[in-house]
Amino acid sequence: MEKALEKSSVAGKVVPYYIRDPTLVTEEQFETNTFELPVVMITGPDISPDTNRFVKPFVTVLGGLCVASFSLAVCFANQDAVQDPLWLEEMASPLIISILMTQVAHEAAHQVVAFKDKFKTGAPTIVPSIQLGLTGCITPLKTPPPNFNSLFDFAISGPLVGMIISLGLMYAGLEQQVFMDNLSQSQLPSLPVELVRSSSLAGGLVEWLLGDGVLLSPDPAALIRLHPLAMAGFVGLLANALSLLPIGNTDGGRISLSLFGRSISRVVRTGTIGLIVISSFFGGDTMNILLFYTIFAQIWQRESEITSKNEIENVDDVRAVVAFITGILVALTVIPMF
């Protein structure tokens, strides 16, 4: 049909979509199992949502300022450091650059998939965070992906690349820190121990390389000194893991949509939000990282994702396995140490 339209007088004016019937299911359809049957939907060429052109640049600037503020705050949290301009440059510069470069790699992976599958995306928006400086980027879709496999590849590529790079940064930073003398270690920036313990994967890596019990402290305000690369890796690991939570039209929401379809993905989203809220009330999210991210996603990314051209074909088994393994990695990252 798409090829036929390209040769007609309406070429470039309409776009066909092969989707499941989105209309409200009647009792008769439910009883006869005739709901969500395949249908063809025809729309204009632009179905991406409109956004105030000043909002995204403002949020991105705010996100950049939050990254800089976070980097300065963790540096000056170490009261024993020299705290002169040269020291600040040596500590803050690699931290800021590494945090931002992790997100650049994340976005580059998205763009590779979009270029390969010939659909367009909007400019990414840096999302600020109180606890981490940033919680990733929002990358809107301007034109529809060809199918759910393509949407899956686009959504998972960025966070996976970001998490792999972040783990590499954490390991490299901690490895360097192990071989530092006491004077050099005394100059490193500091993070709250409770913040590091908010991730089982990151906290486990810290204890593996710096020693068991290094994150155990009766003082809730205790700090731990970390190499700037390790700190940037920690931020990148959590930010990319958060973006994979199946909430709204985040990368995780897109993965859920491609795996389960629109109806079941809504159930997955509701269940995920419920678990996060419950865990926050019962002390499972002491730093409120998950809760704040959920609130943000519900306010700013609650709209449904734009329709893929073919939403009838299911994601293949290989991608389903990749999603399962990625889900385990995300769980290890966002579940705190106990």
Side-chain angles (χ1 to χ4, degrees), residues 300-318:
W300 296 102
Q301 292 189 271
R302 62 183 177 183
E303 298 89 357
S304 298
E305 188 54 81
I306 68 172
T307 309
S308 298
K309 290 184 178 179
N310 184 343
E311 295 195 351
I312 301 301
E313 293 181 7
N314 296 322
V315 168
D316 60 45
D317 293 341
V318 173

Side-chain angles (χ1 to χ4, degrees), residues 126-137:
I126 297 177
V127 180
S129 168
I130 299 173
Q131 302 98 327
L132 301 172
L134 59 76
T135 52
C137 295

Side-chain angles (χ1 to χ4, degrees), residues 27 30 40 49-50 52 73 81 91 95 97-98 119 127 138 150 167-168 178 196 213 237 294 305 317 321:
E27 184 177 348
F30 185 79
V40 174
D50 293 327
N52 188 304
M91 294 297 112
L95 178 55
I97 292 172
S98 297
F119 61 92
V127 180
I138 300 173
S150 178
L167 282 170
V178 167
V196 180
L237 190 63
T294 301
E305 188 54 81
D317 293 341
V321 171

Side-chain angles (χ1 to χ4, degrees), residues 271-286:
T272 302
I273 293 172
L275 285 173
I276 290 172
V277 171
I278 291 172
S279 69
S280 298
F281 277 112
F282 287 94
D285 182 23
T286 55

Side-chain angles (χ1 to χ4, degrees), residues 1-15:
M1 179 182 291
E2 190 171 1
K3 291 181 179 180
L5 286 173
E6 289 175 356
K7 298 176 182 179
S8 68
S9 59
V10 295
K13 299 178 182 179
V14 297
V15 179

Side-chain angles (χ1 to χ4, degrees), residues 119-156:
F119 61 92
K120 297 179 181 179
T121 67
T125 303
I126 297 177
V127 180
S129 168
I130 299 173
Q131 302 98 327
L132 301 172
L134 59 76
T135 52
C137 295
I138 300 173
T139 308
L141 299 180
K142 288 296 187 182
T143 58
N147 49 47
F148 275 157
N149 278 334
S150 178
L151 179 64
F152 177 90
D153 293 346
F154 175 83
I156 205 168

